[in-house]
C-alpha cells in the first residue's frame, strides 16, 4: 500500500515539528508550514532526506560548525534562506 501525496505531506509536517531540538523544530517545522503544500515529489524526497539526519548534525550544519553533506545542501540552503532571521537575534 502506498501513501498518497497528501498523506505524505501530513506525515512530514508532523515529523518536522517533532524533531527533539527546539531550534530544529522551528527551522524545519516553519519551512514545512510554508512550503510543504506546494512541494513536488522530488522536493518532498529532498526534504525527507534532510529530516533523516540527526538534529545535532543538522544544527551543526546550519550554524557552520560542520561541513554540509552535498546530498542535503540544496534543501538545507532553502530552509536557512526561508527562516525568520529577525527572530534569531542576529544583527548586521
Amino acid at each position: 500500500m502506498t501513501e498518497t501525496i497528501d498523506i505524505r505531506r501530513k506525515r512530514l509536517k508532523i515529523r518536522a515539528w517533532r524533531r527533539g531540538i527546539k531550534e530544529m523544530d522551528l527551522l524545519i517545522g516553519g519551512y514545512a508550514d510554508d512550503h510543504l503544500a506546494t512541494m513536488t515529489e522530488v522536493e518532498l524526497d529532498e526534504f525527507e532526506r534532510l529530516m533523516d539526519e540527526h538534529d545535532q548534525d543538522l544544527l551543526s550544519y546550519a550554524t557552520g560548525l560542520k561541513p554540509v553533506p552535498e546530498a542535503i545542501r540544496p534543501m538545507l540552503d532553502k530552509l536557512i534562506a526561508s527562516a525568520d532571521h529577525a527572530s534569531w537575534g542576529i544583527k548586521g
Side-chain angles (χ1 to χ4, degrees):
M1 185 169 137
T2 57
E3 65 185 354
T4 66
I5 194 164
D6 289 332
I7 298 289
R8 185 177 185 196
R9 285 183 174 124
K10 288 176 185 177
R11 178 178 53 78
L12 290 173
K13 187 169 184 173
I14 290 168
R15 277 186 67 197
W17 278 107
R18 287 169 177 76
R19 300 291 306 170
I21 294 179
K22 190 63 175 175
E23 292 82 357
M24 291 296 96
D25 289 349
L26 295 171
L27 181 63
I28 297 172
Y31 186 85
D33 285 352
D34 293 342
H35 299 282
L36 267 181
T38 59
M39 290 172 110
T40 66
E41 295 259 5
V42 170
E43 290 169 323
L44 290 171
D45 290 343
E46 292 173 358
F47 187 67
E48 196 158 16
R49 188 175 309 116
L50 178 129
M51 289 203 316
D52 287 341
E53 296 286 323
H54 293 277
D55 276 358
Q56 294 84 358
D57 291 333
L58 285 173
L59 187 58
S60 293
Y61 303 149
T63 57
L65 294 175
K66 285 176 135 177
V68 180
E70 288 304 315
I72 65 165
R73 179 181 298 280
M75 183 53 66
L76 185 61
D77 287 347
K78 289 177 187 178
L79 263 73
I80 292 169
S82 74
D84 179 8
H85 293 112
S87 70
W88 292 11
I90 298 172
K91 296 183 181 180

